[in-house]
Amino acid sequence: MPGSVKERALRYGMVTLVWLLAAVVLAGCFLTENVKGKLSHKINEQQDVVYYNGTGLLNLNKLDEFLERKAGSQRIIQYTIEGDPLFMELRYEGDKLSVTYDNTEDAFGSKEISMYTCSTLERKEESTELKYTLTGCEGEYPEAELLRVHYGLSEQADFGFVLQYGVNRRNEINTLEQRLVKDLQDGRTVEASDFRLPHAKLQSIYRELVLAGYMQDKTLTEACNRKPAVTYALLVEMNGNERNFAWSECDQSADGKVMTALAQSIISEVQESELYQALPETKGYYE
């Protein structure tokens, strides 16, 4: 089921997308040239990296795949505060990166299409942010930030989640009510007392949520032709707002795969804890 959106734009400030030419071409920092042909303005939400101002990021993994294969092209689209799209395309041409920037749909922009060349795209991850930087660029400034993703948990006023999973969702990880429930798969469940996750694990889980684009609507399904089937329900609360998702292991859509990977990451974080490992082992199994 799609997540309900209650967030206010700009409330979170989790992702800052710095568009190289939007900032520096006007200041004359880069040697650029206008080009006649514009980029396609049809957005592919399955392939393009898309940043919706204030409400999250789609398909960040596509940028990682582009960086690793060092071939082909990748588009990045940012929406301005006013809701206008800005288009950028990175394309490998031999051992160089050709960068095309198109702001012709920006009501407050210069309405130009510009092109320049850089040598590499670098990815650097720190404890609370992930940064992509173009290096070896032509012009006065050889290095410029392309994309910065923030996931510092300490920057948020409050954060909590509830993940229910398994057959009939009998397992539960609940940081809002400090509940940890394990399904023993023999008709019984067992609950840990005084369940709390340390800040380091909460930070790690928050990072996974941000990189999965949890603030965007997801097209998910709970339908499944397997018996029994593993299903998931995830509630995330942040700064007084909430997101809800529900899906099954059978959902092999792009969104379904992302959410299942996210759930498995959260489960792994919790199952590594001493509190979880102290719970009784599973007694039975589902047929």
Side-chain angles (χ1 to χ4, degrees):
M1 295 174 63
S4 61
V5 181
K6 295 183 180 179
E7 296 87 358
R8 296 178 182 178
L10 300 179
R11 181 72 180 266
Y12 292 106
M14 292 190 320
V15 184
T16 300
L17 191 57
V18 179
W19 287 83
L20 190 57
L21 289 176
V24 298
V25 169
L26 296 179
C29 297
F30 279 87
L31 175 64
T32 64
E33 59 177 325
N34 293 335
V35 294
K36 295 181 179 180
K38 67 179 181 180
L39 299 176
S40 170
H41 290 185
K42 183 177 181 180
I43 297 173
N44 184 336
E45 293 192 350
Q46 302 300 315
Q47 298 296 326
D48 295 340
V49 177
V50 185
Y51 171 48
Y52 297 96
N53 193 9
T55 60
L57 185 68
L58 289 180
N59 303 322
L60 183 61
N61 63 302
K62 298 297 182 181
L63 189 56
D64 290 333
E65 292 170 3
F66 171 75
L67 192 155
E68 184 174 348
R69 70 175 180 266
K70 299 186 183 303
S73 63
Q74 180 60 53
R75 283 159 42 93
I76 306 171
I77 295 92
Q78 178 198 23
Y79 282 85
T80 66
I81 295 175
E82 296 79 18
D84 298 329
L86 307 174
F87 301 86
M88 180 178 283
E89 182 180 81
L90 307 179
R91 181 180 296 277
Y92 277 103
E93 295 182 351
D95 59 352
K96 295 288 186 179
L97 269 172
S98 171
V99 183
T100 303
Y101 175 82
D102 181 343
N103 71 351
T104 55
E105 288 196 23
D106 181 8
F108 298 93
S110 58
K111 298 187 183 300
E112 294 180 344
I113 303 168
S114 301
M115 181 180 291
Y116 61 99
T117 301
C118 298
S119 59
T120 58
L121 173 63
E122 296 181 354
R123 179 187 191 274
K124 182 179 181 181
E125 183 164 8
E126 299 177 352
S127 59
T128 60
E129 69 178 17
L130 174 61
K131 183 169 65 175
Y132 297 82
T133 304
L134 290 164
T135 63
C137 301
E138 59 190 14
E140 183 179 356
Y141 297 97
E143 181 175 305
E145 186 176 290
L146 173 69
L147 174 66
R148 185 189 294 262
V149 184
H150 292 282
Y151 38 77
L153 185 57
S154 60
E155 300 171 7
Q156 309 305 323
D158 60 78
F159 166 67
F161 67 91
V162 180
L163 174 63
Q164 297 172 321
Y165 64 95
V167 176
N168 299 319
R169 296 175 184 158
R170 289 166 61 86
N171 300 281
E172 182 175 323
I173 301 168
N174 187 332
T175 67
L176 299 175
E177 299 177 354
Q178 286 80 53
R179 297 185 66 224
L180 177 60
V181 180
K182 180 179 181 180
D183 180 14
L184 299 183
Q185 299 184 10
D186 62 354
R188 297 179 298 152
T189 59
V190 61
E191 182 172 346
S193 59
D194 194 28
F195 168 65
R196 297 178 186 275
L197 283 174
H199 179 81
K201 284 195 175 292
L202 287 173
Q203 171 63 72
S204 179
I205 290 170
Y206 181 57
R207 170 191 177 277
E208 294 300 323
L209 284 162
V210 172
L211 296 184
Y214 85 99
M215 291 179 65
Q216 287 301 127
D217 285 343
K218 304 290 186 184
T219 302
L220 301 168
T221 179
E222 298 178 72
C224 193
N225 57 8
R226 301 175 189 171
K227 300 294 181 180
V230 173
T231 57
Y232 303 88
L234 175 64
L235 162 68
V236 182
E237 289 194 0
M238 175 75 77
N239 300 333
N241 301 298
E242 68 177 41
R243 302 282 291 152
N244 286 279
F245 306 92
W247 72 101
S248 80
E249 64 176 331
C250 291
D251 189 343
Q252 294 299 301
S253 66
D255 284 341
K257 290 179 179 179
V258 166
M259 293 304 290
T260 297
L262 170 63
Q264 291 299 324
S265 177
I266 294 173
I267 293 166
S268 294
E269 288 281 356
V270 173
Q271 289 183 345
E272 291 173 357
S273 68
E274 292 182 4
L275 184 62
Y276 184 90
Q277 292 180 14
L279 294 175
E281 294 184 1
T282 301
K283 304 296 184 180
Y285 61 93
Y286 290 106
E287 297 181 352

